[in-house]
Amino acid sequence: MRRTSIALASIMALVLSLTACGLQSGGALPLPVKPGSITVQPDLNGQSISVGSKDFTEQVVLGYILGFSLAAAGAKVRDMTNIQGSNSARDAMASGQVDVLIEYTGTGWINYLGNEQPLPDATDQYNAVRDEDLKRNDIVWVDPAPMDNTYALAVNKANAAKTGVKTLSDYAALLERDPVAATTCIETEFRSRQDGYPGMAAKYGFNPADAKIQILQTGIIYQAVANGNCAFGEVFTTDGRIKALDLDVLTDDKSFFPHYNAAVTMRADVNKEFPSIAKVMAPVMAKLTSEEISELNRQVDVDGREPADVARDWLVKQGFVTV
């Protein structure tokens, strides 16, 4: 496969950087699959394709859904899921370390392309990021899914009743009058992202420096909110732990957070060489509603199942692959 030509020194710097972020050389998929409704494609048959993902539950599940689908189509898939952080995953794909991964439209629009204002319509948002990323960076976006995993703040039932907070405007008002009552747990990336806490503070008119913030790992925040150790906490709206822990999601009444529809992304050279990637993934991505991915996330985070098992079982249930 063709790779972007860059200087040896840049390659070594990139490898060292990505290794430090947890990106290794990759290996085979942990489970075998056979064709189902996905059939072997001539352009993919026997070809090496590296599939990446970020390092949180939903992304790893999506990475395996992508990897198993391409394996059923005949590709020799190299498993490079679980890359630490959005920027590292994006850099790995853009540089040629990873060939294909599933990304979110809001992340692409705000974080990678540097736009400050999201588009309120999900289709318009996808079309805009697709067109601009191809024009500026030779990155192709295909097969947007109906699932929309946006950011939110959540609260447990007791604190919701105690504070009366139901919307982000209510949260901003509480923070101004009683910052201790509005103690909020977030993870490091959300604290610095323009589509995260700083941007939300600007939209809702409060000073983030006044907030009582605790930094926790993403997976810990849900239980900390449920236990009341954090009055409020950052969540992903498709996370199965919201329902399992009976949390309330605050309404984004000023529509700050962008749409984060998942879509397949790859470099233009990969798309040109392997056009069947988009063909294979179109029906798979169409099945990935917010409800479907929430259930898959719940199986991992609540039931303790392995992401690869969850991803393969879902593909088998849908008839895309066999075992």
Side-chain angles (χ1 to χ4, degrees):
M1 179 188 300
R2 293 183 299 275
R3 291 287 184 265
T4 303
S5 178
I6 55 179
L8 179 60
S10 298
I11 294 174
M12 293 305 297
L14 177 67
V15 169
L16 290 172
S17 172
L18 294 175
T19 300
C21 293
L23 180 62
Q24 304 299 326
S25 59
L29 289 170
L31 300 169
V33 295
K34 298 176 182 177
S37 62
I38 296 174
T39 57
V40 174
Q41 302 297 307
D43 60 322
L44 291 172
N45 194 23
Q47 299 298 312
S48 178
I49 304 288
S50 56
V51 173
S53 82
K54 304 174 195 179
D55 61 343
F56 56 91
T57 295
E58 179 172 290
Q59 268 284 297
V60 178
V61 170
L62 289 173
Y64 281 124
I65 287 174
L66 175 58
F68 289 136
S69 297
L70 297 183
K76 295 180 179 178
V77 173
R78 189 158 56 111
D79 178 6
M80 300 186 73
T81 54
N82 204 33
I83 302 169
Q84 185 179 351
S86 295
N87 289 335
S88 295
R90 165 76 171 197
D91 290 346
M93 188 266 289
S95 68
Q97 296 293 310
V98 164
D99 293 318
V100 57
L101 55 81
I102 293 176
E103 187 53 90
Y104 302 100
T105 53
T107 302
W109 185 248
I110 303 293
N111 286 78
Y112 305 149
L113 296 173
N115 296 287
E116 294 186 359
Q117 297 298 322
L119 279 67
D121 180 79
T123 300
D124 291 344
Q125 182 65 92
Y126 167 75
N127 290 337
V129 72
R130 176 198 63 191
D131 295 346
E132 187 169 336
D133 213 9
L134 179 61
K135 181 179 179 180
R136 287 171 52 181
N137 302 309
D138 281 335
I139 300 299
V140 172
W141 291 68
V142 295
D143 305 331
M147 61 167 286
D148 187 355
N149 182 12
T150 192
Y151 284 115
L153 292 187
V155 60
N156 68 22
K157 299 293 186 185
N159 279 324
K162 179 180 178 181
T163 63
V165 171
K166 297 181 179 179
T167 69
L168 289 179
S169 290
D170 294 338
Y171 168 82
L174 176 65
L175 191 150
E176 288 190 354
R177 68 175 182 267
D178 189 357
V180 174
T183 299
T184 305
C185 292
I186 61 178
E187 45 89 31
T188 301
E189 189 170 311
F190 186 71
R191 187 180 192 178
S192 60
R193 287 173 63 126
Q194 184 56 37
D195 56 342
Y197 201 81
M200 184 187 75
K203 181 72 172 184
Y204 283 91
F206 66 88
N207 185 351
D210 294 337
K212 301 301 181 183
I213 297 295
Q214 295 183 40
I215 302 298
L216 297 176
Q217 293 180 349
T218 305
I220 299 175
I221 293 174
Y222 294 83
Q223 192 63 55
V225 173
N227 293 341
N229 296 329
C230 308
F232 302 90
E234 166 208 350
V235 297
F236 297 117
T237 54
T238 56
D239 196 297
R241 287 168 292 190
I242 293 173
K243 182 177 180 180
L245 295 171
D246 199 25
L247 304 180
D248 288 343
V249 174
L250 304 188
T251 300
D252 182 9
D253 52 307
K254 293 186 178 181
S255 300
F256 165 69
F257 290 114
H259 291 287
Y260 292 85
N261 295 96
V264 176
T265 64
M266 55 192 143
R267 298 181 313 282
D269 66 302
V270 173
N271 181 59
K272 183 177 180 180
E273 190 167 358
F274 302 116
S276 288
I277 292 178
K279 173 186 173 183
V280 166
M281 294 307 300
V284 177
M285 298 297 287
K287 289 283 189 179
L288 286 170
T289 64
S290 294
E291 292 74 20
E292 286 286 321
I293 196 65
S294 293
E295 170 57 21
L296 301 186
N297 291 338
R298 187 198 64 78
Q299 291 180 32
V300 176
D301 291 325
V302 178
D303 295 346
R305 300 188 66 207
E306 289 295 325
D309 293 327
V310 170
R312 190 177 72 161
D313 286 353
W314 181 81
L315 288 165
V316 170
K317 180 181 177 181
Q318 300 297 326
F320 292 122
V321 309
T322 57
V323 296

